[in-house]
């Protein structure tokens, strides 16, 4: 059939006008519950679809450029499940050219028995705003006569009403006392930085959470030492908008020069002119260095070159050399560097200008020219005096930074007025109401206990944390679930397991979904999972990815090996990261210490660029980890059913300090098929505390002795 005409300018303008009149302004503070958009992102079904590109979900995704269309027959219907019974007030239909002449709006509380709230035999198409009354959970449009030879086609099907959840929540507002904002004229900046650092330097499992924000401008003579649960960011649209003539420093004096526990902190969106020409960022897991411009060198080792256990750089420009020194492993993505020195076991680069040449295992460099798919983390910035969140666009085969070279960043901006600013004490019910109401979520620094799952079911929702905001599920619930929708962005927060076992801590998409999200995938960035350490915690699995095409860009999923509430059964968690969706990409995957498999990959066409793992230290004996006839559970298992999978730069280490005689069959397990390929694998026994017998399956030399020398494989099969 010929291409369909798109709506005329008049129709588009009418749609925009209706939207402006109907959409609840997030800044509203009316004391009475006002009608809100209930249908967006909710599950939708239809009697038929014209094809895979016009699913029912496209009519409730908030995007006027996507649509549902039916087959070319009468009757046809589309319905939406609002998730809860609501008092309904209005339905807005945005028809494509193929509209209904005769149709009904029908309501149901159970999805089976329907009543008519509106009917017509003279439908005009275009944008139709229908006032209705009734109480229902399910709403459908039931077409009985088409106005054209095609089927029925809706750009958007919107249902408005109230759920009885209380007054409308306002958007925007202040960011709370633990977001500390500076401008170049602020007095006492260094003293405030020092005050927070003194509190947070060794507070590894404390409750303090802080975010430093620097307004655009130039700051002189600062040394911002960054401790636990502290983030520092510039508020410009480009890193070069905010320059510190000084340093942003992480060192390890608090731990006698050992940087292997410098976790949970971040630096973002700043330009630095280091005082001595080189900035020091001596960190290990969960300490991202994003969107930074260092006008000099960067030293990744602590003073004295003590141990350091690996980290992550993305979308950054380091004019000088990056001194890796004692870092055991590191991943650098979509950046530009002046050079790179040294490497211990596993240094991985993708899309990085100036990266060293491929050399694994000697030197231990894995270098990919580009990153297949990437999309940078959302970030807060100032547009004049107004706070906004910039949401970067997806890039394919990216190389170098997404900013600089005089070009405007690609993406979109969302004003803070469209965010619910979440503050400590907010309940999960209130947070869910905000999402249902159409707001994004900005978690201010703090610890949040939730007694029910946070449901992110609206397409395009941004959930952004400041200062490593931490969510703790109570009563064994899953802390957060994302719906089967496009374009959700999760970034910058920590989920900490509670004392009652949760089946999972974070789930991306429902089990069994078949929806294609390639055009606008969900991204999970700097979202960290912890089981134990801060106190007793239990979860069957840390993170589950069901949605196809999801990008997990830098995560540390950690069953604690130290701290409070730690023991083989005390903080039991069998699985760290489970992927059921197809075409999932992980860039910068850190998963450690789970009782069984750290990673289980069941989806097709999965890809991992950089993996760092340690097996659980605290296995009491060989029998405790026995996996049938196999000695131990692989760190990274690809299911036998998978036909296509690929990984680059993957390492697993063992340190069985309770029983050093434990033998681990292998670090990696995968089916031997032409489409399942691995590049640059290694296993390491740390000081001879336990040993690996192979690298992957039955392939690769065993580790031996106490010399901590990796066993490597360059290519498998």
């Amino acid at each position: 059939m010929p291409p369909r005409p798109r709506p005329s300018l008049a129709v588009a303008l009418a749609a925009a006008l209706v939207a402006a009149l109907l959409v609840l302004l997030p800044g509203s503070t009316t004391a009475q519950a006002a009608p809100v958009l209930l249908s967006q992102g909710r599950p939708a079904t239809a009697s038929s679809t014209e094809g895979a590109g016009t699913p029912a979900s496209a009519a409730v995704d908030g995007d006027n450029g996507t649509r549902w269309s039916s087959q070319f027959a009468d009757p046809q219907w589309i319905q939406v499940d609002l998730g809860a019974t609501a008092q309904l007030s209005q339905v807005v239909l945005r028809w494509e050219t193929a509209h209904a002449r005769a149709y009904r709006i029908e309501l149901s509380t159970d999805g089976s028995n329907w009543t008519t709230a509106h009917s017509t035999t003279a439908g005009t198409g275009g944008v139709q705003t229908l006032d209705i009354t009734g109480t229902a959970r399910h709403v459908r449009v039931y077409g009985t006569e088409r106005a054209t030879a095609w089927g029925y086609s809706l750009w958007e099907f919107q249902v408005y009403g109230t759920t009885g959840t209380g007054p409308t929540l306002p958007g925007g507002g202040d960011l709370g006392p633990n977001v500390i904002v500076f401008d170049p004229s602020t007095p006492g900046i260094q003293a405030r930085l020092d005050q927070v650092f003194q509190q947070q330097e060794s507070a590894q499992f404390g409750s303090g959470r802080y975010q430093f924000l620097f307004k655009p401008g130039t700051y002189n003579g600062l040394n911002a030492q960054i401790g636990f649960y502290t983030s520092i960011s510039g508020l410009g649209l480009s890193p070069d908008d905010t320059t510190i003539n000084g340093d942003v420093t992480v060192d390890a004096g608090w731990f006698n020069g050992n940087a292997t526990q410098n976790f949970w902190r971040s630096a973002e969106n700043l330009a630095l002119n280091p005082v001595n020409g080189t900035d020091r960022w001596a960190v290990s897991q969960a300490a991202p260095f994003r969107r930074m411009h260092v006008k000099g060198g960067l030293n990744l080792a602590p003073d004295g070159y003590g141990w350091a256990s690996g980290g992550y750089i993305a979308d950054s420009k380091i004019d000088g050399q990056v001194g890796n020194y004692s870092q055991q492993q590191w991943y650098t993505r979509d950046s530009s560097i002046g050079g790179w020195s040294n490497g211990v076991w596993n240094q991985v680069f993708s899309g990085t200008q100036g990266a060293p040449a491929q050399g694994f295992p000697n030197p231990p460099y894995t270098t990919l020219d580009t990153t297949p798919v990437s999309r940078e983390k959302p970030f807060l910035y100032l547009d004049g005096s107004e706070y906004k969140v910039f949401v970067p666009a997806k890039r394919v085969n990216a190389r170098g930074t997404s900013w600089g070279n005089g070009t405007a960043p690609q993406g979109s901006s969302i004003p803070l007025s469209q965010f619910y600013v979440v503050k400590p004490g907010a309940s999960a019910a209130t947070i869910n109401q905000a999402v249902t109401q159409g707001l994004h979520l900005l978690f201010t620094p703090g610890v949040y206990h939730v007694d029910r799952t946070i449901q992110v079911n609206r397409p395009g929702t941004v959930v952004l944390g400041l200062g490593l905001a931490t969510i703790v599920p109570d009563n064994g619930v899953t802390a957060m679930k994302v719906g089967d929708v496009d374009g959700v962005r999760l970034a910058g927060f920590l989920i900490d397991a509670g004392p009652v076992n949760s089946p999972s801590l974070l789930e991306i998409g429902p089990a069994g979904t078949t929806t294609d999200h390639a055009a606008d995938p969900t991204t999970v960035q700097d979202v960290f999972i912890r089981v134990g350490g801060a106190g007793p915690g239990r979860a069957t699995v840390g993170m589950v990815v069901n949605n196809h095409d999801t990008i997990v860009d830098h995560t540390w999923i950690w069953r604690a090996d130290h701290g409070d509430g730690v023991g083989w059964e005390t903080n039991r968690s069998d699985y760290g990261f489970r992927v059921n969706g197809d075409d999932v990409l992980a860039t910068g995957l850190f998963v450690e210490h789970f009782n069984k498999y750290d990673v289980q990959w069941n989806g097709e066409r999965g890809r991992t660029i950089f993996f760092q793992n340690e097996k659980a230290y605290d296995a009491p004996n060989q029998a405790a980890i026995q996996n049938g006839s196999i000695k131990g559970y692989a760190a990274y298992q690809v299911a036998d059913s998978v036909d296509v999978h690929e990984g680059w730069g993957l390492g697993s280490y063992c340190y069985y300090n309770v029983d050093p005689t434990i033998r681990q069959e292998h670090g990696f397990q995968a089916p031997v098929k032409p489409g399942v390929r691995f590049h640059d694998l290694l296993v390491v026994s740390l000081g001879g505390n336990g040993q690996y017998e192979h690298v992957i399956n039955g392939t690769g030399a065993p580790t031996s002795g106490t010399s901590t020398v990796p066993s490597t494989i360059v290519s498998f099969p």
Side-chain angles (χ1 to χ4, degrees), residues 112-191:
S112 299
N113 301 296
W114 298 90
T115 60
T116 299
H118 173 87
S119 66
T120 183
T121 57
T124 59
V127 179
Q128 294 183 290
T129 302
L130 310 171
D131 293 327
I132 62 170
T133 57
T135 301
R137 171 172 172 164
H138 306 268
V139 184
R140 76 178 177 186
V141 181
Y142 194 97
T144 56
E145 182 184 353
R146 291 166 290 140
T148 71
W150 300 316
Y152 298 84
S153 183
L154 281 166
W155 295 109
E156 283 295 297
F157 168 26
Q158 297 177 314
V159 180
Y160 290 82
T162 57
T163 59
T165 53
T168 298
L169 296 169
D174 73 89
L175 300 177
N178 285 11
V179 175
I180 302 164
V181 183
F182 300 120
D183 66 43
S185 65
T186 302
I189 296 176
Q190 186 66 57

Side-chain angles (χ1 to χ4, degrees), residues 478-540:
T478 296
M480 184 178 293
K481 292 184 179 181
V482 174
D484 191 5
V485 297
D486 279 354
V488 171
R489 315 289 187 96
L490 308 182
F493 57 90
L494 169 65
I495 297 177
D496 203 353
V500 179
N501 187 74
S502 294
S504 62
L505 296 175
L506 174 62
E507 291 187 16
I508 310 300
T513 175
T514 59
T515 308
D516 184 338
H517 297 291
D520 191 9
T522 286
T523 50
V524 183
Q525 299 176 287
D526 302 346
V527 173
F528 309 122
I529 304 288
R530 182 171 67 192
V531 183
R538 296 172 67 92
T540 303

Side-chain angles (χ1 to χ4, degrees), residues 4 55 69 92 123 238 247 439 479 481 500 629 712:
R4 296 207 180 154
S69 62
V92 177
S238 165
D247 296 84
L439 296 173
K481 292 184 179 181
V500 179
S629 62
T712 62

Side-chain angles (χ1 to χ4, degrees), residues 22-226:
L22 291 176
V23 173
L24 177 70
L25 292 174
S28 171
T29 56
T30 176
Q32 300 298 318
V36 296
L37 178 58
L38 304 175
S39 53
Q40 190 161 303
R42 300 300 307 171
T45 54
S47 54
S48 68
T49 59
E50 181 183 351
T54 57
S57 60
V60 293
D61 64 1
D63 185 345
N64 287 328
T66 63
R67 62 187 175 92
W68 163 71
S69 62
S70 75
Q71 294 179 359
F72 306 165
D74 294 315
Q76 301 288 342
W77 53 263
I78 180 173
Q79 69 184 57
V80 62
D81 180 354
L82 304 177
T85 300
Q87 297 290 328
L88 305 182
S89 59
Q90 200 167 72
V91 168
V92 177
L93 304 176
R94 291 176 170 82
W95 293 102
E96 202 223 9
T97 302
H99 65 278
R101 178 174 289 115
Y103 65 93
R104 303 189 296 267
I105 303 296
E106 298 183 330
L107 312 180
S108 174
T109 57
D110 58 10
S112 299
N113 301 296
W114 298 90
T115 60
T116 299
H118 173 87
S119 66
T120 183
T121 57
T124 59
V127 179
Q128 294 183 290
T129 302
L130 310 171
D131 293 327
I132 62 170
T133 57
T135 301
R137 171 172 172 164
H138 306 268
V139 184
R140 76 178 177 186
V141 181
Y142 194 97
T144 56
E145 182 184 353
R146 291 166 290 140
T148 71
W150 300 316
Y152 298 84
S153 183
L154 281 166
W155 295 109
E156 283 295 297
F157 168 26
Q158 297 177 314
V159 180
Y160 290 82
T162 57
T163 59
T165 53
T168 298
L169 296 169
D174 73 89
L175 300 177
N178 285 11
V179 175
I180 302 164
V181 183
F182 300 120
D183 66 43
S185 65
T186 302
I189 296 176
Q190 186 66 57
R192 189 71 173 107
L193 294 169
D194 292 345
Q195 178 188 24
V196 171
F197 178 68
Q198 183 177 12
Q199 177 183 321
Q200 298 301 115
E201 179 184 13
S202 59
Q204 183 171 178
F205 298 110
S207 59
R209 303 288 186 274
Y210 291 92
Q211 174 76 56
F212 292 121
L213 297 175
F214 284 75
K215 294 182 179 181
T218 300
Y219 300 78
N220 295 314
L222 297 181
N223 181 16
Q225 298 182 83
I226 305 301

Side-chain angles (χ1 to χ4, degrees), residues 355-429:
Q358 172 74 29
F360 188 90
N362 187 25
Y365 299 147
T366 298
T367 302
L368 286 72
D369 189 58
T370 62
T371 304
V373 185
S374 57
R375 187 165 61 186
E376 300 305 329
K377 172 182 171 290
F379 61 92
L380 191 68
Y381 77 103
L382 276 174
D383 184 1
S385 61
E386 182 182 7
Y387 282 109
K388 293 182 178 179
V389 171
F390 190 78
V391 184
K394 185 179 76 171
R395 297 202 291 168
V396 177
N397 295 324
R399 181 170 172 81
T401 63
S402 68
W403 53 272
N405 302 317
T407 60
Q410 299 299 302
S412 58
S413 292
I414 305 172
L416 189 64
S417 61
Q418 293 181 21
F419 281 80
Y420 177 58
V421 179
V422 192
K423 295 178 180 174
S427 68

